[in-house]
Amino acid sequence: MPTSATPAGRDKTMRWTVHETETGWSKDHHYNWGLKSAPAIEAYKGLLHCFAAGALEPYGLAWGYYNKETDTWYSKSFVYDVEKNPVYTSGPLSVQHANDFLYCVHHRAKDDRRLWWTRYNSEGPETGWSLHQPVKDHRSAEVRSTRPAALTVYGGLLYCVHDGDGVLRWITHDTTTKTWGTDRPIPGDIRAARAPAVERFKDYLYCVHDRGGDDLYWITYNSGTQEWSADRRIEDTEGNPVRTSHAPAIARHNDYLYCVYYVDTDSGRGELWWTRYDDSDEGDDSWSVPERIPDVRSYTGFDIAPYYGGLYCVHEA
């Protein structure tokens, strides 16, 4: 699991910035919410939802949201499933809006490698959070992951990419039947030294990961041909590798695929940098020269998501 550079026992507070196409990144805003794990964010039914571990062990899954129309953050306390059981969490988690539901996949405890899941619906016959339960494949075998998993929606299914003993694996979920498919390795023995990041962009599923050595790599999946691409190192338009010292985050926004990543400094808090991928006819089918997000100092936990025309980045500080 990723670790932070903060002193033991000290809560990290939440900060956020938003990228607009015309104006770039906003100033870094503060919200008084103590975090015990990296935040995970996702837009769902008009709100930007944020999740993180709560304050006390065993860590309950804390939940809040931002309303753009009122420019206000709201806390919704802790998540309880349909049987009124508290949902516990450990380390970074992944959330994804999929076919009218908001999914959460994560580890439940630091000594439990099983992936757990629950989903939320704000209305309808399944209002509230579903039963919190382990992810089980088509044979009812529990799915385990060395590091945090990553979620995205692609081709009508929920895709989960995770790390099995240093090798990337993937499994899909049908939101109608609520069943998981086959858990299998991505072809090519794709190595992962940190948690991956996944996103649907144009006609492909993209996965960005670190094989070890701090260079970022990327692969794509085509559901039409059911083929994964070869693993490639991310290089900017000048041929330079993009290097990180922690797990990245990716999101599609305004016809680009954005990648935000962390760079260590000597101050105990690092910098957040970004690059974006352009595969349009007018573009050069490459990653842009990385730029630092101005005036942002962050610990290692962060996430990005599009919301109300902007690209939001929520991070620990």
Side-chain angles (χ1 to χ4, degrees), residues 89-264:
T89 189
S90 175
L93 56 140
S94 185
V95 293
Q96 177 65 48
H97 179 191
N99 297 345
D100 215 36
F101 295 93
L102 185 62
Y103 277 78
C104 175
V105 170
H106 62 118
H107 287 103
R108 190 173 187 268
K110 62 183 179 181
D111 57 352
D112 184 355
R113 290 179 53 190
R114 293 176 299 171
L115 291 177
W116 289 69
W117 72 284
T118 181
R119 69 181 188 180
Y120 173 77
N121 196 343
S122 61
E123 56 191 355
E126 294 186 48
T127 300
W129 289 95
S130 70
L131 181 68
H132 190 221
Q133 57 189 304
V135 174
K136 295 183 180 181
D137 69 12
H138 69 294
R139 300 171 303 174
S140 295
E142 295 177 336
V143 175
R144 287 167 165 78
S145 181
T146 311
R147 297 175 177 85
L151 300 176
T152 194
V153 172
Y154 175 58
L157 297 172
L158 180 70
Y159 280 70
C160 175
V161 176
H162 66 99
D163 165 24
D165 295 320
V167 176
L168 287 181
R169 302 180 64 89
W170 63 295
I171 185 171
T172 60
H173 174 79
D174 187 315
T175 61
T176 301
T177 63
K178 296 183 278 189
T179 56
W180 294 88
T182 303
D183 184 40
R184 54 196 140 173
I186 293 176
D189 192 37
I190 306 299
R191 295 286 163 173
R194 298 183 174 105
V198 295
E199 178 67 289
R200 176 184 62 81
F201 178 62
K202 302 294 180 65
D203 296 326
Y204 296 89
L205 180 150
Y206 284 72
C207 175
V208 173
H209 65 104
D210 176 4
R211 299 198 310 195
D214 293 344
D215 288 351
L216 286 178
Y217 284 75
W218 61 304
I219 52 176
T220 60
Y221 176 71
N222 184 329
S223 62
T225 62
Q226 298 185 0
E227 292 179 335
W228 288 89
S229 73
D231 203 17
R232 293 166 283 178
R233 188 173 72 170
I234 292 181
E235 297 179 353
D236 65 23
T237 52
E238 298 177 356
N240 300 310
V242 174
R243 295 174 57 81
T244 185
S245 46
H246 203 66
I250 61 174
R252 65 185 184 276
H253 175 59
N254 287 352
D255 224 28
Y256 296 98
L257 182 67
Y258 282 78
C259 176
V260 171
Y261 60 97
Y262 178 88
V263 175
D264 269 326

Side-chain angles (χ1 to χ4, degrees), residues 31-105:
Y31 176 58
N32 189 27
W33 186 10
L35 303 177
K36 284 293 187 179
S37 73
I41 60 173
E42 177 73 358
Y44 173 70
K45 296 190 177 180
L47 302 171
L48 183 67
H49 293 259
C50 181
F51 298 84
L56 301 173
E57 290 192 80
Y59 298 128
L61 181 59
W63 176 26
Y65 62 85
Y66 173 72
N67 187 327
K68 173 68 173 178
E69 293 183 352
T70 61
D71 191 26
T72 305
W73 281 93
Y74 300 88
S75 294
K76 290 201 72 173
S77 191
F78 293 98
V79 173
Y80 290 82
D81 71 12
V82 67
E83 295 184 353
K84 309 302 181 185
N85 299 310
V87 173
Y88 295 118
T89 189
S90 175
L93 56 140
S94 185
V95 293
Q96 177 65 48
H97 179 191
N99 297 345
D100 215 36
F101 295 93
L102 185 62
Y103 277 78
C104 175
V105 170

Side-chain angles (χ1 to χ4, degrees), residues 12-53:
K12 291 158 282 185
T13 59
M14 192 181 86
R15 300 189 70 89
W16 59 284
T17 178
V18 58
H19 182 273
E20 304 284 355
T21 303
E22 300 299 327
T23 59
W25 292 96
S26 71
K27 69 176 184 178
D28 205 25
H29 303 273
H30 173 262
Y31 176 58
N32 189 27
W33 186 10
L35 303 177
K36 284 293 187 179
S37 73
I41 60 173
E42 177 73 358
Y44 173 70
K45 296 190 177 180
L47 302 171
L48 183 67
H49 293 259
C50 181
F51 298 84

Side-chain angles (χ1 to χ4, degrees), residues 296-314:
V296 169
R297 307 292 285 185
S298 178
Y299 293 114
T300 54
F302 59 92
D303 196 13
I304 60 174
Y307 173 63
Y308 260 82
L311 181 67
Y312 284 71
C313 175
V314 174

